[in-house]
Every structure is written in structure tokens, then in C-alpha cells.
Amino acid sequence: MVELVDTVLEDARWEAFGLPALAETAARAALGSLGLPPEGFQIALLACDDARIAGLNADFRGKPVPTNVLSWPSDDRAADAPGQRPALPDPGSPDDPEELGDIAIAWDACAREAEGQGKPMPAHVTHLVVHAVLHLLGYDHVEDADAALMEAEEVRVLASLGLPDPY
């Protein structure tokens, strides 16, 4: 099987957690739900801690605080109008996959949220990876119509993995 997600583990807690396999499963489900062949794409995932993601959040969003997950699409794939589905990218080949972009996820923020929401950490992290992959594909949640579309897609993907509606 060709790897879809190239995971870089900066925080050892993610390795013990099994993030590489979980992220691969979540990303494959997100792409598959949209009819995209996972073998034609590549995603880079940085598994870090709150300090690292706070620095990234400051550098790229001007918000020097930790967050759960960040994403950087390789291209602007946003829809033309609120509530419309974004145009999906064409896949590359297994030997030369299309790069969708980069994701960073922070252990501390994810653990705090999962505990605070009474959710199992694997379910919460799966949701965040699916959420980030959808961002790489042009989905967003700034406008209400876009948020409704993105959340419905997340719920559908998570259900395909046997996970409950996170909302």
C-alpha cells in the first residue's frame, strides 16, 4: 500500500499513541468519501506539542497561542461561493502523487479537548485529522453555509469509520 500521510513525530507521545496509522486511516476515509483515490495524493503531518504549534500559529496566523490542528493547503481549492463544494484536485500517480498540503497537530491541545469533551482521544484525533484533510481540499467553516457543508462531510466520514457525530 502506498503511504498517503507522511508523519513526522516531534513528540514521542504521538508515536506511543499510534498516530501514523490513525492518520493514514482518517485521511484515506476523507479522500475516499469524496471519490478521490488515496494512492494519488500525499499529505505531510507534523505531530508536535503545544509549544511548537503555538509558534506555528503565531507565524502563520498571528495568534501566539496553542491550537489543536493547523493546515496549509498546497493550492487554493476554495469554492467560488459560500455553501458550494470546492473543486476537487486531480490525483497524481502512486509514483508521483499530488501534494495536498501540510498539517500540524498538537498533543497537549488534543488531550485537553478530548478530556474536556468526554471523548476518547482516538475519536477526537480522528475527527481533527479528517477536519484538516477537508481544509486541504478547500473546505472551510468561516461562513455558516460552508460550515454546514464541512461539518456534514465530517460526520459522514466519521460514520464510515464507526465514530459518532462529534457535534
Side-chain angles (χ1 to χ4, degrees):
M1 175 172 61
V2 176
E3 186 179 84
L4 165 63
V5 181
D6 180 17
T7 303
V8 175
L9 299 164
E10 274 192 1
D11 187 317
R13 294 174 290 182
W14 284 118
E15 187 169 7
F17 176 77
L19 180 64
L22 183 147
E24 185 75 21
T25 298
R28 284 180 174 275
L31 292 180
S33 77
L34 297 169
L36 295 172
E39 300 79 20
F41 297 97
Q42 183 73 45
I43 297 168
L45 173 64
L46 173 66
C48 60
D49 62 14
D50 269 6
R52 177 78 152 123
I53 211 162
L56 292 168
N57 206 16
D59 290 347
F60 291 96
R61 298 178 65 222
K63 298 178 180 183
V65 295
T67 189
N68 51 18
V69 68
L70 293 170
S71 58
W72 297 270
S74 60
D75 285 315
D76 181 4
R77 299 180 176 96
D80 293 331
Q84 290 183 347
R85 292 192 175 277
L88 297 177
D90 292 326
S93 69
D95 293 332
D96 186 21
E98 175 71 21
E99 293 183 19
L100 291 179
D102 302 331
I103 298 169
I105 191 164
W107 175 270
D108 310 282
C110 291
R112 272 192 312 276
E113 290 173 353
E115 183 179 336
Q117 296 170 18
K119 296 177 182 176
M121 179 83 157
H124 185 55
V125 171
T126 297
H127 174 218
L128 292 174
V129 171
V130 167
H131 181 86
V133 170
L134 291 176
H135 273 308
L136 297 181
L137 293 169
Y139 285 80
D140 204 349
H141 46 83
V142 175
E143 302 289 334
D144 288 345
D146 291 333
L149 182 68
M150 184 173 187
E151 289 172 11
E153 191 60 40
E154 290 172 19
V155 168
R156 192 165 68 91
V157 173
L158 294 172
S160 78
L161 295 169
L163 295 174
D165 182 338
Y167 298 106

